[in-house]
Amino acid sequence: MFCALSSFGVYGMHAYPVSVEVDAARGLPAFDIVGLPGAAVKEARDRVRAAVKNTGFSFPVSRLTVNLAPADVRKAGSVYDLAIYLGVLCASRQLGADLSGSAFLGELSLKGDLRRVAGVLPMAIEAKRRGFARLFLPRENAWEAGVVEGIDILPAATAGEVVAHLTGAAPIAPFAGGRESVPEGEEMLPDLADVKGQHLARRALEVAACGGHNLLMVGPPGAGKSMLAKRLPSILPPMTFAEQLETTMVHSIAGLLPPDTALVRRRPFRAPHHTISPVGLTGGGPTPRPGEISLAHNGVLFLDELAEFSRGALDALRQPLENGSVTITRAQHTLTFPCEIMLAAALNPCPCGYLHHPTRSCTCTAGQIARYRGRVSGPILDRIDLHLAVEPVEYSDLSSRERGESSAAVRARVAAGRQRQLERAERTGALCNARLSPAAVEAVCPLTPGAERLLRGAFDTLGLSARARDKLLKLARTVADLDGCDQIAEAHMAEVIQYRQLDRQGGW
């Protein structure tokens, strides 16, 4: 007997329908899966065989053939277990049910329990778009899929519960959660009030957060570079629903969405170790998966000890930082992952870290310093908006009992400044100033005569490139937004010129 069910697969950021066709025929007992199955899909034979027996059914003594269509697309993962299990029962006449309008997702344990799978959110979105009425899936994936409206989400703990629903013995109640009832985590973020001194660095973080600008902090060990970067998420503006949905899709595909989590509400903060490979940073693999730069989408990617990362890994960031997306090409397919990120990086001025330190002597030779700085290419530095010199903290600041301004207060100003940018988004096509196109920069960055003179002087004196000039204008636009000004004034331009330390001769 023949039976066909519907399931879904994921390739890149997009889900696609998979028809699970099961045929039980006379002949020597066999269980074959065709349709370009990966290793995990092939192993479904053993999981399904055990689950059928352990849920009270008899595994058919016949020639079973399972086809996963379309057959020219490689299938990966364990998401098809539940559909294959039900197909075997239907093809062997142990289950009679109307399966039209339903899609099935889930991994099976040997005793028939349903385990969560990755990529459920894009699958649920595609199922709704294609007109499916019901989506059966593991209970642990319910919140994730429940964000999608217009389709019944039927969560189950075991395959037996799905069978009971299909036979009418024990219907599963549709998941009642949705966008309005999304649980929100209570995780507390490090507060900017903990930072002692570093007034210029605190201000630079505020500007970077408001405009979505990339930031490089150069300073000696112990100056607080990592401490500052870890507090950056606490002052970032809240995400829009569209940003939450896209960020959640990336984490869902990567299998990193925590249980009972519907949406990623807070902007991600990723801090990979400096030994990471280019593929780990940008994504890829036999079945392409998002890398760290995509997992930081709509959030912060922090690269501590920037010069310790491999040259290949850093140079792989050039195109993603410029375009806000990373493209991975395979022999038959090309896919794109989003990576609209803020890059925050920390760097010592030399290998020992104490070049120009006020109290400690540098032990590095000129050759060592040149080689160390050469690990970070000019094109990468050119894509970083703010260059900040972080000085050692004075003892008087460290011993002070006075706390700095809280992250909540700074975040309120940042959110107000970002709202001004969102109001211009229809004209500029950019949600933040860091993403303004050259044409938009000229349109939304009007300068007072004094600001124009300062910019011209900086361009001539520092020998800025056209890209550096645009970055100064974007930074000045952000500072003006923080002040609530429509026009960039002389004070705004004077402030942002000091954020381009590496454009100066000897700026290191």
Side-chain angles (χ1 to χ4, degrees):
M1 184 177 175
F2 172 81
C3 176
L5 302 86
S6 296
S7 186
F8 284 87
V10 172
Y11 194 81
M13 287 288 290
H14 304 288
Y16 59 93
V18 174
S19 178
V20 180
E21 303 168 349
V22 183
D23 179 69
R26 293 180 179 179
L28 292 175
F31 190 178
D32 297 319
I33 299 179
V34 297
L36 284 182
V41 181
K42 291 179 181 178
E43 291 170 354
R45 292 175 299 188
D46 299 318
R47 292 192 295 271
V48 169
R49 188 191 303 272
V52 167
K53 294 178 179 179
N54 291 327
T55 51
F57 296 96
S58 299
F59 193 82
V61 183
S62 58
R63 186 173 186 83
L64 286 174
T65 303
V66 177
N67 179 43
L68 304 178
D72 61 341
V73 178
R74 179 165 292 279
K75 317 301 185 306
S78 55
V79 66
Y80 310 109
D81 286 8
L82 177 59
I84 295 173
Y85 166 89
L86 295 173
V88 169
L89 295 184
C90 290
S92 60
R93 294 187 173 89
Q94 298 181 77
L95 173 64
D98 180 13
L99 305 179
S100 62
S102 301
F104 303 89
L105 311 173
E107 176 186 328
L108 285 174
S109 73
L110 297 184
K111 69 174 184 176
D113 293 337
L114 283 177
R115 293 172 175 163
R116 66 187 309 232
V117 291
V120 163
L121 179 56
M123 294 179 193
I125 293 173
E126 184 65 12
K128 185 237 176 155
R129 191 182 74 83
R130 291 183 175 268
F132 284 87
R134 295 167 296 279
L135 183 63
F136 292 85
L137 42 69
R139 186 172 293 170
E140 290 179 308
N141 289 117
W143 276 108
E144 179 182 350
V147 175
V148 182
E149 299 175 342
I151 182 172
D152 286 340
I153 304 300
L154 302 177
T158 66
E161 291 182 11
V162 177
V163 172
H165 175 92
L166 294 174
T167 58
I172 300 172
F175 183 67
R179 296 181 186 179
E180 303 303 322
S181 56
V182 172
E184 185 168 3
E186 298 296 329
E187 179 189 2
M188 298 297 294
L189 296 175
D191 200 297
L192 201 59
D194 301 331
V195 178
K196 301 286 189 179
Q198 300 294 8
H199 303 294
L200 179 60
R202 290 169 58 96
R203 173 63 176 178
L205 251 64
E206 182 177 343
V207 173
C210 182
H213 301 287
N214 298 329
L215 169 70
L216 172 64
M217 294 176 284
V218 182
K225 303 185 294 296
S226 299
M227 185 179 186
L228 287 162
K230 291 174 182 177
R231 280 149 182 77
L232 187 54
S234 69
I235 63 173
L236 290 175
M239 288 198 288
T240 64
F241 178 76
E243 289 177 322
Q244 292 175 12
L245 192 61
E246 197 170 42
T247 304
T248 305
M249 285 178 64
V250 175
H251 285 249
S252 173
I253 291 166
L256 298 179
L257 204 61
D260 300 328
T261 298
L263 288 172
V264 176
R265 290 292 191 98
R266 287 178 172 161
R267 296 186 182 273
F269 180 83
R270 305 291 297 185
H273 193 260
H274 64 260
T275 56
I276 191 171
S277 67
V279 171
L281 199 57
T282 60
T287 300
R289 297 170 64 84
E292 288 291 335
I293 191 170
S294 294
L295 293 173
H297 179 54
N298 290 321
V300 179
L301 177 68
F302 176 48
L303 302 183
D304 198 7
E305 302 294 346
L306 184 66
E308 300 301 330
F309 286 79
S310 72
R311 183 67 177 262
L314 292 182
D315 285 346
L317 294 178
R318 293 188 192 183
Q319 180 255 352
L321 287 176
E322 194 73 18
N323 299 340
S325 62
V326 56
T327 300
I328 300 171
T329 302
R330 292 293 178 264
Q332 296 180 343
H333 301 278
T334 297
L335 56 90
T336 300
F337 290 116
C339 57
E340 295 274 359
I341 65 165
M342 277 184 62
L343 174 64
L347 182 65
N348 291 333
C350 66
C352 76
Y354 295 108
L355 183 67
H356 304 311
H357 194 279
T359 60
R360 299 190 61 169
S361 299
C362 174
T363 59
C364 305
T365 65
Q368 289 173 327
I369 295 173
R371 285 191 295 273
Y372 178 78
R373 294 176 180 177
R375 296 176 187 174
V376 184
S377 67
I380 289 295
L381 293 176
D382 204 29
R383 285 165 171 78
I384 297 178
D385 303 350
L386 284 87
H387 309 152
L388 181 67
V390 181
E391 301 294 339
V393 184
E394 298 288 341
Y395 180 80
S396 58
D397 292 325
L398 289 173
S399 60
S400 173
R401 294 182 177 273
E402 183 179 353
R403 287 174 62 83
E405 190 176 23
S406 69
S407 290
V410 177
R411 190 184 189 192
R413 292 196 299 271
V414 167
R418 184 66 69 92
Q419 183 59 39
R420 294 174 63 86
Q421 298 165 47
L422 293 175
E423 291 169 359
R424 295 193 298 264
E426 289 187 7
R427 288 189 293 143
T428 64
L431 298 180
C432 61
N433 288 333
R435 296 295 173 185
L436 290 173
S437 66
V441 167
E442 300 301 330
V444 301
C445 297
L447 301 172
T448 64
E452 179 70 43
R453 285 194 300 272
L454 270 179
L455 179 58
R456 181 183 298 275
F459 187 86
D460 293 338
T461 304
L462 303 179
L464 301 181
S465 64
R467 178 180 284 165
R469 174 187 175 274
D470 280 355
K471 290 190 180 300
L472 278 176
L473 286 171
K474 293 176 187 180
L475 287 169
R477 178 68 270 167
T478 299
V479 174
D481 287 336
L482 284 170
D483 286 350
C485 299
D486 292 328
Q487 196 171 26
I488 297 173
E490 188 173 0
H492 304 145
M493 186 59 67
E495 177 180 346
V496 300
I497 288 174
Q498 67 181 326
Y499 297 145
R500 298 292 300 179
Q501 294 284 339
L502 300 188
D503 290 329
R504 296 176 168 83
Q505 182 68 27
W508 287 88

